[in-house]
Amino acid sequence: MERLILDCDPGHDDAIAILMAGLDEKLELLGITTVAGNSYLENTTMNALKVVEMAGLDVDVYAGCARPLLRDQIVAPEIHGSTGLEGAKLPTPKRQAEEKHAVDFIAEMVKAYPGEINLVATGPLTNVALFIIRYPDLVEKLKRIVMMAGGIAFGNVTPVAEFNVYADPEAANVVLRSSVEKVMAPLDVTHQAIMAAEEIERLRKTGSHILQTLADLLDFFRSTYLDLFDIDGAVLHDPCAVMYLIDPTIFECEDLYVEVELDGNLTYGQTVADIWKTMKMKPNVRVLKRIDRKAFFDRLFEDLEKLAVRK
Ligand code: RIB
Ligand code: CA
């Protein structure tokens, strides 16, 4: 059993990551923390509450940082819509976000379960960086950080920078320099987890209202990727981070030295991986490189189809 906190910016792919984290029997989801990213904090927090309500998950949501550490804020309505989770009507949540700040909740859990907490980050790394800055003595008590972050061969917001890192590169720098075990799912691997139209249709065909709602969300996400990237599918970036905890054997990985560019004009926010070990630096992160696509989607459908028997 892997215990985790999911720090996210729902976001369509974050929504799938929330469901996997809450439904897979290998995982114990202790809480969800939200951060500004795909949309503003009030939207990402509301979206997390709506996904929890829709799936009937018993998990609390804690709001975190409303803006990046240093740079100006960016959001992604062109991908996720103005609310951050457009494409379907989700139920009004009964529960509200907790009073406690996300970073303080993470600290509380790490103190309660030293060495056992996986902090899975699927949005900008602002909350994670602030946890490291605010609670330096607790960093070594984290089991690991697993993040959907970065791109080695390409970016998606600029030619070389991926959104979660580009939205807060200084936070990504704090995280990459931290001493805790880190796992990174860059675009190079997440673009191998593209959910095709017929796979989305499989959810719709279950006849389950929840899965039809999910299919509507994924079709919206697919449509924006088709418009912007000419990719006809829902790219399941964030689920890759959660799937690593469920079954790391689904991935081929390599331990690499990775830094983030903070000064470049063209390259600001680029994650630079020293593939050829030219910098002679000790690897600081396990990078996911290849995916067993069949095993990934078999486990994803096994988890999502558990919702078919709910209301
Ligand atoms: O670049 C992809 C990442 O940015 C994903 O986490 C997606 O949800 C957006 O936040
Ligand atoms: Ca995300």
Side-chain angles (χ1 to χ4, degrees):
M1 174 70 78
E2 292 285 356
R3 285 189 159 125
L4 77 147
I5 294 169
L6 180 60
D7 186 77
C8 55
D9 64 334
H12 293 73
D13 53 329
D14 302 78
I16 304 296
I18 289 172
L19 296 175
M20 291 165 66
L23 294 167
D24 196 279
E25 71 269 3
K26 180 76 186 297
L27 304 179
E28 183 183 1
L29 179 59
L30 297 176
I32 294 169
T33 54
T34 56
V35 67
N38 286 321
S39 193
Y40 302 102
L41 181 66
E42 54 272 20
N43 287 340
T44 59
T45 304
M46 175 54 70
N47 293 337
L49 289 163
K50 286 182 173 180
V51 173
V52 164
E53 179 71 29
M54 175 181 75
L57 299 179
D58 180 16
V59 63
D60 292 331
V61 175
Y62 299 80
C65 296
R67 50 143 300 125
L69 293 185
L70 285 179
R71 64 154 294 159
D72 56 313
Q73 182 168 29
I74 60 168
V75 288
E78 70 283 359
I79 304 274
H80 298 278
S82 58
T83 65
L85 194 59
E86 278 188 21
K89 180 156 177 39
L90 272 68
T92 306
K94 296 185 187 63
R95 74 175 70 210
Q96 295 184 337
E98 303 300 309
E99 278 304 307
K100 187 177 300 223
H101 190 279
V103 171
D104 296 328
F105 169 71
I106 293 168
E108 179 189 323
M109 288 295 103
V110 172
K111 283 177 199 162
Y113 301 105
E116 294 184 40
I117 302 287
N118 293 280
L119 183 48
V120 179
T122 64
L125 292 159
T126 318
N127 289 342
V128 181
L130 209 52
F131 166 73
I132 293 167
I133 295 165
R134 171 78 180 77
Y135 294 100
D137 300 342
L138 291 181
V139 175
E140 64 189 9
K141 293 185 170 57
L142 255 184
K143 183 171 185 179
R144 69 167 73 85
I145 293 171
V146 186
M147 52 193 152
M148 189 279 134
I152 309 302
F154 55 92
N156 58 4
V157 189
T158 78
V160 294
E162 177 275 326
F163 178 81
N164 286 340
V165 175
Y166 189 68
D168 198 342
E170 289 73 21
N173 183 49
V174 168
V175 176
L176 282 169
R177 290 169 179 276
S178 68
S179 55
V180 66
E181 182 187 332
K182 294 174 287 295
V183 176
M184 172 179 158
L187 295 173
D188 314 71
V189 78
T190 67
H191 275 236
Q192 298 172 42
I194 299 177
M195 196 170 192
E198 56 273 17
E199 288 165 319
I200 297 172
E201 198 51 31
R202 172 174 162 181
L203 294 176
R204 210 182 292 281
K205 283 189 182 135
T206 60
S208 148
H209 176 65
I210 297 177
L211 292 180
Q212 286 172 338
T213 303
L214 218 43
D216 291 344
L217 289 174
L218 288 164
D219 271 333
F220 176 89
F221 191 39
R222 178 168 71 96
S223 72
T224 60
Y225 261 73
L226 193 55
D227 292 348
L228 284 167
F229 300 102
D230 199 25
I231 293 175
D232 187 9
V235 185
L236 299 187
H237 304 286
D238 299 335
C240 288
V242 177
M243 191 65 82
Y244 178 82
L245 279 193
I246 292 169
D247 182 357
T249 66
I250 286 180
F251 299 91
E252 284 178 37
C253 318
E254 184 176 4
D255 293 344
L256 292 171
Y257 179 70
V258 180
E259 266 194 54
V260 57
E261 175 59 61
L262 298 178
D263 302 317
N265 290 325
L266 269 183
T267 55
Y268 181 58
Q270 179 177 7
T271 44
V272 181
D274 187 14
I275 307 277
W276 305 115
K277 322 247 186 299
T278 60
M279 298 170 77
K280 309 280 188 275
M281 295 291 283
K282 186 168 166 294
N284 59 341
V285 60
R286 173 152 299 174
V287 179
L288 307 188
K289 296 179 73 174
R290 268 176 291 284
I291 194 168
D292 175 338
R293 190 188 189 284
K294 182 181 181 313
F296 180 94
F297 278 94
D298 284 352
R299 190 62 176 255
L300 174 67
F301 277 111
E302 184 186 316
D303 282 341
L304 295 181
E305 285 170 352
K306 291 172 185 171
L307 292 168
V309 295
R310 300 194 182 190
K311 59 182 187 301

